[in-house]
Amino acid sequence: MMLVDRSSKEAFPTMGGSNERTDQASTRDRLVEAARQLFLVKGYEATGVAEILREAGVNSGSLYYFFRSKEALLLAVLETYKRLLAPEVLDPVFAAERDPIARVFGVLEGYRQMLTLTQCRMGCPIGNLALEMSEKSEPVRVGIAENFDGWKRAIEQCLIDAGSRLPQGVNRSSLATFILTVMEGGVMQARAHRSLAPFEESVRLLRDYIDRLMQAAASASAGEGTGASKGELGT
Amino acid sequence: MMLVDRSSKEAFPTMGGSNERTDQASTRDRLVEAARQLFLVKGYEATGVAEILREAGVNSGSLYYFFRSKEALLLAVLETYKRLLAPEVLDPVFAAERDPIARVFGVLEGYRQMLTLTQCRMGCPIGNLALEMSEKSEPVRVGIAENFDGWKRAIEQCLIDAGSRLPQGVNRSSLATFILTVMEGGVMQARAHRSLAPFEESVRLLRDYIDRLMQAAASASAGEGTGASKGELGT
DNA sequence: GTCTATAGAAGGATAGAC
DNA sequence: GTCTATCCTTCTATAGAC
């Protein structure tokens, strides 16, 4: 969940080189990383270009050499988030959990960790941007939607992998959307209340719902349908 | 859901007065209303004081006569939202629906209407501010949390009114939090995708969950407990 | 690719007359 | 309570040397 960009291959140009610094990422990467951090902590509008420059140790001219505008820098940040979803958010959880349902809740646990580590000050970086920026720039809105899509697809795959443990009539795509909904709504309230409770309660009820779905699927496959799982749901 | 401030009693100072205008609210009210609209559409940081002034037809000096700062104006906006929750959001729904569960979904339907009317550009005004402002000012964060609390309490009362239709073990407060979670998360995704679908899917699955809870309660009261509703949930 | 310097607009807030 | 004028800072972005 740290979302540190480990994929910066330019990060170690030292072997045999004349550069003495061992952790010097490229100028462009430092700009994107500084912007990512600041947009996460303060939001887009409240972050000044000067601040990004200072944090990255870069001069104005260089920023506008790589990026047309502050907004273009935000688009690069959104690309970074898409790229980091698997290595930073999913893979660690999936490596520790093989059960597809446990994986879903493992991902949610990761967000709980971020809330814990930041005293409920930081949640989902995409959620922040979604509400702040969706109406201000169509390319940005699309970048945000793509991030949501990537997250949702990963969860949806878990639900598909759960196979017959979930009722046939439950649309996996809709349930994945629902899980993202619960995550984002829970994070929002946790931040507003500066308390983990709303997030934890929300996840607990989500778990109860999914437990009930799985019970219904088990009952149905045992030939004793309860009548509760008839018909297509969430389509 | 229009959240127009009908409670401005100063709005009609015409009878026998010398003022020719019929819809002239007080200067302070016009400032709060203009700020409310602009913060909703553009967010707090992206809204300039000059813009608020122009929209309200007020001069800079007057704003700072009534409010210490832009942030103080935001606090007044948050107070307005608290005051408008009942007359603008709850009462119209509650007048049309007597069933407490139907009332809950009637409130959610109101948010769907707002998304529809704005082509998914506007959702919950408090949700926007929650993610943008929770870390920037403690008084603002508290004002946001109070707005969430008011909303949650109203929903919780509906759930309490539902009585034994919901299982005993389901904590009404947690379920109310969960409903707010689904509303906010659904609105967020609807705006990011500019599509009603994520909101509608989320509400549909919420309804399925509550249906299953009510079925479990009915089964339990019929003396044929399924084992699914044992124990305290959401505490 | 990086540097300094700065343009030009917009930001929030204040002073002081009326 | 309201007006105009304006202070000072910060903003994004550019110019042009190196």
Side-chain angles (χ1 to χ4, degrees):
Chain A
M1 294 306 304
M2 291 300 91
L3 287 173
V4 170
D5 191 347
R6 292 179 188 145
S7 68
S8 290
K9 299 310 183 194
E10 309 88 335
F12 308 100
T14 37
M15 298 81 174
S18 55
N19 192 332
E20 309 240 336
R21 301 166 74 172
T22 56
D23 59 338
Q24 188 69 324
S26 76
T27 298
R28 186 183 187 284
D29 284 358
R30 276 180 294 137
L31 282 167
V32 174
E33 176 58 18
R36 193 183 65 72
Q37 285 280 356
L38 286 163
F39 293 165
L40 172 59
V41 174
K42 313 185 51 173
Y44 176 83
E45 299 284 358
T47 298
V49 170
E51 231 168 333
I52 298 170
L53 262 21
R54 178 160 25 82
E55 197 67 25
V58 168
N59 296 303
S60 172
S62 295
L63 190 160
Y64 289 98
Y65 172 80
F66 289 108
F67 301 99
R68 171 179 302 181
S69 64
K70 184 184 173 188
E71 179 182 321
L73 181 52
L74 172 58
L75 290 172
V77 168
L78 287 170
E79 286 301 310
T80 300
Y81 277 125
K82 275 200 286 184
R83 191 162 39 79
L84 294 185
L85 173 65
E88 297 290 333
V89 179
L90 303 175
D91 292 351
V93 173
F94 289 6
E97 299 276 6
R98 300 205 55 84
D99 180 85
I101 300 294
R103 283 180 169 181
V104 169
F105 286 97
V107 171
L108 296 182
E109 170 64 18
Y111 287 86
R112 199 187 69 88
Q113 293 281 345
M114 180 179 307
L115 287 170
T116 303
L117 291 172
T118 63
Q119 287 107 155
C120 297
R121 269 168 244 269
M122 280 186 220
C124 170
I126 308 302
N128 298 352
L129 294 169
L131 292 194
E132 185 181 4
M133 301 299 294
S134 282
E135 276 67 51
K136 290 176 190 158
S137 153
E138 183 63 9
V140 169
R141 184 192 69 72
V142 170
I144 290 163
E146 288 172 353
N147 270 277
F148 279 156
D149 281 339
W151 200 97
K152 193 199 110 174
R153 261 195 305 275
I155 297 298
E156 184 179 351
Q157 188 57 55
C158 291
L159 300 175
I160 291 168
D161 292 345
S164 61
R165 290 167 63 195
L166 290 168
Q168 276 201 324
V170 173
N171 184 298
R172 270 61 175 163
S173 169
S174 291
L175 185 52
T177 294
F178 187 65
I179 292 166
L180 179 52
T181 286
V182 172
M183 190 276 275
E184 294 290 355
V187 164
M188 180 189 291
Q189 285 179 78
R191 290 180 56 198
H193 282 102
R194 278 250 211 294
S195 159
L196 237 41
F199 181 84
E200 291 179 336
E201 291 173 69
S202 296
V203 171
R204 187 178 302 121
L205 293 200
L206 174 65
R207 184 184 288 275
D208 179 52
Y209 177 44
I210 291 179
D211 283 346
R212 287 172 193 272
L213 289 178
M214 293 196 294
Q215 280 167 14
S219 299
S221 78
E224 40 153 318
T226 63
S229 56
K230 297 286 190 288
E232 169 84 346
L233 245 169
T235 301
Chain B
M1 293 306 302
M2 292 299 92
L3 287 174
V4 171
D5 191 348
R6 293 178 188 146
S7 68
S8 291
K9 299 310 181 194
E10 310 88 334
F12 307 101
T14 37
M15 298 80 172
S18 56
N19 191 333
E20 308 239 336
R21 302 166 73 171
T22 55
D23 60 337
Q24 188 69 323
S26 76
T27 298
R28 187 182 187 284
D29 284 358
R30 276 180 293 137
L31 281 166
V32 174
E33 176 58 18
R36 192 183 65 73
Q37 285 280 355
L38 286 164
F39 293 164
L40 172 59
V41 174
K42 312 186 50 172
Y44 176 83
E45 299 284 358
T47 298
V49 170
E51 231 168 334
I52 298 170
L53 263 20
R54 179 160 23 84
E55 197 66 25
V58 167
N59 296 303
S60 172
S62 294
L63 191 160
Y64 289 98
Y65 172 80
F66 289 108
F67 300 99
R68 170 180 304 186
S69 64
K70 184 185 173 187
E71 179 183 319
L73 182 51
L74 171 58
L75 290 172
V77 167
L78 287 169
E79 286 302 309
T80 300
Y81 277 124
K82 275 200 287 184
R83 192 163 39 79
L84 294 184
L85 173 66
E88 296 290 333
V89 178
L90 302 176
D91 292 351
V93 173
F94 290 6
E97 299 276 4
R98 299 205 56 84
D99 180 84
I101 300 295
R103 284 180 167 180
V104 169
F105 286 98
V107 171
L108 296 181
E109 169 63 17
Y111 287 86
R112 200 188 67 89
Q113 293 282 345
M114 180 178 307
L115 287 170
T116 302
L117 291 172
T118 63
Q119 287 107 155
C120 297
R121 269 169 243 267
M122 280 186 220
C124 170
I126 308 301
N128 297 354
L129 294 169
L131 293 194
E132 185 181 3
M133 301 300 295
S134 281
E135 277 67 49
K136 290 176 191 158
S137 154
E138 183 63 9
V140 169
R141 185 193 69 73
V142 169
I144 290 162
E146 288 171 353
N147 270 278
F148 280 156
D149 280 339
W151 200 98
K152 193 199 109 176
R153 262 195 305 275
I155 298 297
E156 184 180 349
Q157 187 57 54
C158 291
L159 299 175
I160 291 168
D161 293 344
S164 62
R165 290 167 64 193
L166 290 168
Q168 277 202 323
V170 173
N171 184 300
R172 270 61 176 165
S173 168
S174 291
L175 185 52
T177 294
F178 187 65
I179 291 166
L180 179 52
T181 286
V182 172
M183 190 276 277
E184 294 290 354
V187 164
M188 180 189 291
Q189 286 179 78
R191 290 181 56 199
H193 282 101
R194 277 252 210 294
S195 159
L196 238 42
F199 181 83
E200 291 178 335
E201 290 173 71
S202 295
V203 171
R204 186 179 302 119
L205 293 200
L206 173 67
R207 184 184 288 275
D208 180 52
Y209 176 44
I210 291 179
D211 283 347
R212 286 174 194 270
L213 289 178
M214 292 195 295
Q215 280 167 14
S219 298
S221 79
E224 41 153 317
T226 63
S229 55
K230 297 287 190 288
E232 169 84 343
L233 245 169
T235 301

